[in-house]
Amino acid sequence: MPGADDMTPKQPGLVAQLVGIERRLKAYLARRTKNAAEADDIAQESLLRLFQRGREADIVNPEFYALSIARNLLTRRRPDVEVPIEDEALEIASPEPEALQTLLDRERVAVLRKALDSLPPLRRDIFIRRRLHGHTRERIARDLNLNPETVKKHITRALVSLTEAMKDQPHTIEDA
């Protein structure tokens, strides 16, 4: 039989958060299922799984985690119910600054990834080798049989392109 310590979440306050999450989670599920009993069942299972996970590790955003669990359970139980991911972000987005900042960061990463993908292949390869893998310009030049000044030019132009793509992206919630 597990001891009392086995039932305690690692994250202080998780149980109190579950109470607040439950009402919103049930409302979310009721809108999707049009069946209060089914919504209650899925919400209960989601919160139980969240609680069990909380005994093992800290959960950064319990509400979003519970929503993810509920969404997975719902799509397994009712494949006929469509759950667009875009709607979830709007419905469940926490007013907490951390959650909003996470959403902004994801948008910035998506914009950066798109900008990186739009670079010419050689420029992208050089930039990735330099900035992500930490290779020296000399090594890149040697590996690609290029002049080191050409490598420098590609890195500079890649930075200009990426900076331009990111200039209108908010860095923090206050910028948004």
Side-chain angles (χ1 to χ4, degrees), residues 30-99:
R31 285 191 303 274
R32 295 288 184 250
T33 63
K34 310 286 192 255
N35 180 326
E38 186 176 24
D40 286 348
D41 287 348
I42 295 171
Q44 183 178 10
E45 176 70 19
S46 301
L47 293 173
L48 176 63
R49 290 182 184 196
L50 173 65
F51 179 78
Q52 289 170 334
R53 179 69 179 140
R55 289 188 343 225
E56 300 165 7
D58 285 346
I59 300 169
V60 174
N61 188 335
E63 189 165 359
F64 186 76
Y65 193 81
L67 173 74
S68 298
I69 294 168
R71 181 179 188 277
N72 290 337
L73 291 171
L74 179 60
T75 55
R76 282 190 197 125
R77 277 189 180 195
R78 301 268 310 269
D80 60 306
V81 175
E82 189 173 315
V83 187
I85 292 173
E86 296 79 20
D87 290 351
E88 287 179 13
L90 297 174
E91 287 186 45
I92 205 76
S94 170
E96 299 172 24
E98 291 174 10

Side-chain angles (χ1 to χ4, degrees), residues 20 32 41 54 102 113 117 120 137:
R32 295 288 184 250
D41 287 348
T102 299
R113 183 174 290 136
D117 289 344
R137 289 193 312 240

Side-chain angles (χ1 to χ4, degrees), residues 5-170:
D5 289 341
D6 295 336
M7 296 304 293
T8 304
K10 289 190 180 280
Q11 189 169 342
L14 181 61
V15 174
Q17 286 181 308
L18 293 178
V19 173
I21 293 169
E22 181 180 23
R23 182 180 46 80
R24 292 186 298 277
L25 191 60
K26 284 181 179 179
Y28 168 81
L29 290 163
R31 285 191 303 274
R32 295 288 184 250
T33 63
K34 310 286 192 255
N35 180 326
E38 186 176 24
D40 286 348
D41 287 348
I42 295 171
Q44 183 178 10
E45 176 70 19
S46 301
L47 293 173
L48 176 63
R49 290 182 184 196
L50 173 65
F51 179 78
Q52 289 170 334
R53 179 69 179 140
R55 289 188 343 225
E56 300 165 7
D58 285 346
I59 300 169
V60 174
N61 188 335
E63 189 165 359
F64 186 76
Y65 193 81
L67 173 74
S68 298
I69 294 168
R71 181 179 188 277
N72 290 337
L73 291 171
L74 179 60
T75 55
R76 282 190 197 125
R77 277 189 180 195
R78 301 268 310 269
D80 60 306
V81 175
E82 189 173 315
V83 187
I85 292 173
E86 296 79 20
D87 290 351
E88 287 179 13
L90 297 174
E91 287 186 45
I92 205 76
S94 170
E96 299 172 24
E98 291 174 10
L100 294 174
Q101 188 62 52
T102 299
L103 289 173
L104 285 176
D105 291 344
R106 286 182 183 162
E107 288 178 20
R108 287 176 50 79
V109 168
V111 169
L112 183 59
R113 183 174 290 136
K114 184 177 178 182
L116 191 57
D117 289 344
S118 71
L119 293 175
L122 178 61
R123 186 165 298 153
R124 180 176 52 246
D125 182 32
I126 290 171
F127 182 80
I128 289 171
R129 287 174 187 238
R130 178 72 176 131
R131 294 298 176 138
L132 297 181
H133 299 296
H135 296 175
T136 64
R137 289 193 312 240
E138 291 74 22
R139 176 178 174 186
I140 296 168
R142 187 178 59 248
D143 289 350
L144 298 176
N145 198 25
L146 296 171
N147 181 312
E149 285 302 312
T150 302
V151 170
K152 182 178 178 180
K153 176 187 78 171
H154 279 291
I155 293 168
T156 301
R157 288 185 179 172
L159 284 170
V160 167
S161 296
L162 297 175
T163 301
E164 182 66 24
M166 299 301 294
K167 76 175 183 182
D168 294 329
Q169 293 299 307

